Amino acid sequence: MIKFKIFFDIEKEERWLNEMLAKGWLCSHINSAGIYTFQPTENLEQVIRIDCQQELRKEKKATYKQLHEDFGWRIVKEKSYDGTFYWTKSKDGNDELFSDHDSHIAKYKRLMKHASNWAILSLIFLMIFNGNDNVAPFFSIKSAYYTPGLWDKEGSAFLFVFLFETPFAIMRFLPPWLFLATCSIYITLYYRYRKSIQQFL
């Protein structure tokens, strides 16, 4: 089974993957474009956990992987471009990647940095593709098409221009919403970070 999902919050993504697992569908592959491949399973006594390790260099990454494998974790997917790791293992009572105070706090620090990097990237795209004061493309994908008379064209003439400009229109339309989403995720993670600190005081 294949499903398409876009997540900005890896904790929500993790819950969804475990909900799918509880229904008998184990995630076997995650595509960077948001395509999830599931295989049927009768073994429901498993968990999936997600970690974000953006700054691991080659040697530390190998040690990180080996450490988790020694504790019974199996890697499902590693997104090399953003350092996201998807792990699965059989339930044995030690089903969390982060159990102590310091590692739990460090997790939220990494996630906040991850969200801030996406926010900065989306802001850069926003400035590149929307360098003028025209905010219409923010609220209407149709307004993001700049070709004069596009919507009056018909047939192959319309189709050619439409397909040619669509990637540019998407890049004009998405950045502000991506920026708002990543900023919201950062704020949410910050409150989770503060809450996790208070829990261990």
Side-chain angles (χ1 to χ4, degrees):
M1 178 173 64
I2 296 176
K3 283 184 172 287
F4 173 77
K5 284 269 190 177
I6 296 293
F7 289 95
F8 294 105
D9 185 338
I10 69 170
E11 293 189 344
K12 289 184 179 180
E13 182 181 10
E14 184 179 281
R15 284 196 297 271
W16 177 70
L17 290 172
N18 282 290
E19 288 169 2
M20 292 295 295
L21 181 55
K23 296 175 182 177
W25 293 98
L26 175 64
C27 184
S28 58
H29 183 72
I30 300 103
N31 186 287
S32 298
I35 298 173
Y36 296 76
T37 302
F38 294 89
Q39 300 293 337
T41 180
E42 295 182 359
N43 180 12
L44 304 184
E45 294 301 307
Q46 302 179 71
V47 293
I48 292 177
R49 296 290 182 246
I50 306 176
D51 189 15
C52 185
Q53 296 280 350
Q54 289 180 300
E55 299 181 352
L56 288 182
R57 298 191 179 275
K58 187 175 181 179
E59 292 182 0
K60 289 187 177 181
K61 184 183 293 186
T63 302
Y64 166 82
K65 290 180 179 179
Q66 188 61 54
L67 178 64
H68 285 76
E69 289 170 357
D70 289 345
F71 281 92
W73 293 96
R74 178 178 63 84
I75 195 164
V76 177
K77 172 71 176 179
E78 173 193 350
K79 291 182 179 179
S80 57
Y81 70 91
D82 69 355
T84 303
F85 291 83
Y86 296 76
W87 297 96
T88 184
K89 73 185 290 285
S90 298
K91 293 180 180 179
D92 59 4
N94 296 307
D95 306 327
E96 298 294 336
L97 291 175
F98 314 100
S99 55
D100 63 276
H101 180 199
D102 292 338
S103 63
H104 201 75
I105 298 301
K107 166 194 170 183
Y108 284 112
K109 286 184 177 180
R110 291 194 302 273
L111 291 177
M112 286 191 296
K113 184 173 183 179
H114 184 69
S116 66
N117 288 343
W118 276 108
I120 292 170
L121 183 62
S122 61
L123 181 60
I124 292 172
F125 275 114
L126 178 61
M127 291 187 295
I128 291 174
F129 289 95
N130 294 90
N132 52 39
D133 295 329
N134 182 16
V135 298
F138 300 171
F139 304 101
S140 170
I141 185 66
K142 191 174 181 179
S143 300
Y145 289 83
Y146 287 174
T147 301
L150 171 63
W151 307 108
D152 296 324
K153 296 180 184 294
E154 296 180 353
S156 59
F158 167 79
L159 186 61
F160 175 79
V161 178
F162 176 78
L163 293 177
F164 177 80
E165 193 174 354
T166 291
F168 300 99
I170 291 174
M171 294 305 294
R172 297 182 190 110
F173 177 76
L174 284 183
W177 302 109
L178 182 60
F179 177 69
L180 289 174
T182 50
C183 287
S184 299
I185 291 298
Y186 180 88
I187 293 170
T188 300
L189 290 169
Y190 175 76
Y191 280 107
R192 291 177 187 171
Y193 165 72
R194 296 299 304 173
K195 184 177 180 180
S196 65
I197 291 177
Q198 293 172 359
Q199 287 177 342
F200 289 100
L201 290 179

